[in-house]
Amino acid sequence: MSPSANQNPEQKARDRIDQMLVEAGWVIQSKSEVNLAANKGVAVREYQTDVGPADYVLFVDRKPVGIIEAKREDEGHRLTVVEEQSSDYANAKLKYLDNDPLPFVYESTGVLSRFTDFRDPKPRGRRVFSFHRPATMAEWLRKESSLRGRLQSIPALDHTGLRPAQIKAVENLERSFKNNRPKALIQMATGAGKTFTAATFIYRLLKYADAKRILFLVDTKNLGEQAEQEFMKFQPTDDNRKFNELYNVQRLSSSYIASDSQVCISTIQRLYAILKGEDLDESAEEENPNESSWMQAQVKKKEPLPVVYSEKVPIEQFDFIVIDECHRSIYNLWKQVLDYFDGFLIGLTATPDKRTFGFFNENVVSEYTYEQSVTDGVNVPYDVYTIETEISRKGAKIEAGWFVDRRDKLTRQSRWQREDDDTEYQRNDLDKKVVNPSQIRHIIKEYKNALKRDIFPNRIDKNGDYEVPKTLIFAKTDSHADDIIKIVREEFDEGNDFCKKVTYKIVEDPKTILNKFRNSYYPRIAVTVDMIATGTDVKPLEVLLFMRDVKSINYFEQMKGRGTRTINADQLREVSATATSKTHFVIVDAVGAVKSKKTDSRPLERQPTVPLKDLLGAVTMGVADEDLFLSLANRLIRLEKQITSREAEKMLEYSGGKNLKQICKELLDAFDPDSIQTQAIALKQSENLPSLELAMDQVQGELITKAATTFNGTLNAYLENVRREHEQIIDSHNLDRVTKSEWDTTSIDKAQEIVTDFSEFLETHKDEIKALSIFYDQPYNRREVTFRMIKEVMEKLKQEKPNLSPFHVWDAYRTIESVKSERPDKELTALVSLIRRVCGIDTTLTPFDSTIDENFRKWIFKQNAGQHNRFTDEQMNWLRMLKDQVANSFHIEVEDLDYVPFDSKGGRGKMWQLFGAQMDEIIEELNEELVA
């Protein structure tokens, strides 16, 4: 009897529970017809105990293991109260059996179910989507303790190779596990090593807690590939083998989950498709699904994606689920996917919002902000440089009668046309409706000039040429990116290798280009639309040039995160020969992206319609919704009237031979009651189905699948491109001009803050560090400052203020005051120069070696006063060596003459031969005069 025909609430609940048990692999028997050998798992109804009949007693391999206490649906709110009753049954003696207490206890209404494992320390009930499978219970019972019991005995963390923030995250997370907290959030700044942290605790869960399988969940294929690489290169400190030599790591590219995989990496789109038993086109994994306004609209309408039990993927498939970039709200639409599994949820993000905290029950086990990471020297800070042009700000007007190029967006073919009407365009129309090459050219040309003049002026290579720092440009569209690349190559007078596009849609392999950008000299500049906005590690990046605005605050923070990565000087010089170190990165803002208003999420109320791209994406991902199918059909019906015959013919290649009329009919038929009923009547008769309702469900399912499987990444991209305005106007009449090119005021404020912090550090430590004491209080003793003393200052600085590296402080000074000299190559030399500037010895920031050279020149002049050419050429060469020694080591002793470079020239004996009794006097004078 179907549940709908049974009006008894208790029996309705039993019917649903029976269905759930059968789906999970149980055989259901009545107490009068027990056959425990019939199946591995048997659920016996109304089994008698010494405290009364239990609703269901669960047997695995003929042994009792658990009970189910059934309640009607309207008692769902009382299930926690029922726990005492179900516990009584679990602890009771079963008829005919001298059993121990049963460990696995459920309370269920068939709609809501709760589960308690009484083998757990401090057993605590939790909500579950369905019942666990008999084989799973058998596996659990073979182990000495439950998963939560094993979590109690995880050994202390070895801190070797871990940063303080990573140590805190892992230790607090494991404490959360031990406290049986089902959800935990790790907030860790981009570049601080979130994936490495995850690999660390995943390794420990597999090794010490004997976790069966762990899911690492992402929302784009790109992030999944990166995570796979991270696991492959991860090597634990207590084993000389790599992670993937110890455990099987599987990145899911189909619906197959290997039985021996211990770490699965998957997009949430694919996981949803697997639960539905459907295949997924890889194109649906390339973009974050929550960028889709259709998906966002469903949140507004409170229509979550339906999830049903999957025999191939039971609820216990994963013990732990790690959700990467969880700030993207994948839990809004995909919450049921996460709720389906009976496992711990761990969120990773650099930029959480209120919803993120709420979803993870405000259990934030670790907070490590970008600002903290900069203070700790884990990430580098940034400055903002603003470029503004007149047309970027105001737009322009194309007047009637002008001849302009009109360019086809797809073929890039141009035609020369006289305009019949005026066309005014605003800044938001640029690179969409209208392309103004002069606007792009002036931004790129000014960027080139600002690099040499203000941003990184000291990048002259050994041939005397300027070396452009690794730069990432964010473009609006692929077409915009192509225009930028063409102009970059022209303005920088470079070839194809100098500037490349990195996007999913390029002909060249995007991974190869990205790898070259990361590890090779060329390309110097990469232009992207989608691929490396988030989650991609390019450590040598020193400049982000924004030529598109960003409205999402989280997305903007992720884009900024591309530049924050630290890199050691040697690795940086492998790809940028003139770079001394990466102390900061620079955001060059050409569109006002830094100051534009940001929102936590996409502002739906401003979108009168959902973009076609999002409708296509939702259908491709398997969303079967009547509104979606009708909306898409209506949009394609309009499109069918607009496209050319050539475009319609081309589309047949991507649609399996279906034209737009056929596609629209299939979409409409999938939810047309008359069409469904007509086919269902025929199906019921031909297959002798028990009811018309069942036949209609089957027919509709087939119609939905038939309509949806037409859509794929290639067809979607073609439809989206055809839908757009076919042409762009190329405005070559309105020439642009730069109206602003300067450091942003926030960068100036930040630079002043750095200088102030550095001054306060010196002031704080002047009494305990001898070198500082001399500079501040005993300037006449500067001749006594040694290399070792300056090293002491440097070590203290690195230990307490790693963000105040001498090079970074030097660059801050350059932002707020005129610093004409180039930055020294050596950090210690820069440090001495900075100390002299802060103490007031020098009124402007001057490289210490330049000060030495100038003081040496004055000293020689004074020595020669009244004595024409007092020193011989050989003596002058020796004095220059002494001067260089002071410049490099800040002080010289007689004993230094026994070492390089003096020893090869004859050492102290040679100096005595040259200067005689004046030797000691000259050394003393140089120590005093050169550092004056």
Side-chain angles (χ1 to χ4, degrees), residues 20-29 33-44 57-65 132-136 138 311:
M20 291 165 62
L21 283 167
V22 170
E23 288 172 343
W26 297 85
V27 166
I28 302 166
Q29 298 175 354
E33 298 175 349
V34 174
N35 176 11
L36 298 181
N39 189 54
K40 187 175 188 69
V42 175
V44 182
V57 174
L58 304 177
F59 290 83
V60 172
D61 295 329
R62 302 176 60 87
K63 296 179 181 177
V65 297
H132 303 95
R133 300 182 70 80
T136 303
E311 182 181 345

Side-chain angles (χ1 to χ4, degrees), residues 453-478:
R453 183 185 64 237
D454 297 320
I455 300 174
F456 287 108
N458 305 321
R459 293 297 181 85
I460 308 301
D461 65 19
K462 58 186 178 183
N463 299 319
D465 297 323
Y466 185 84
E467 180 185 71
V468 176
K470 288 276 187 177
T471 301
L472 178 62
I473 301 177
F474 292 113
K476 297 174 185 175
T477 63
D478 276 284

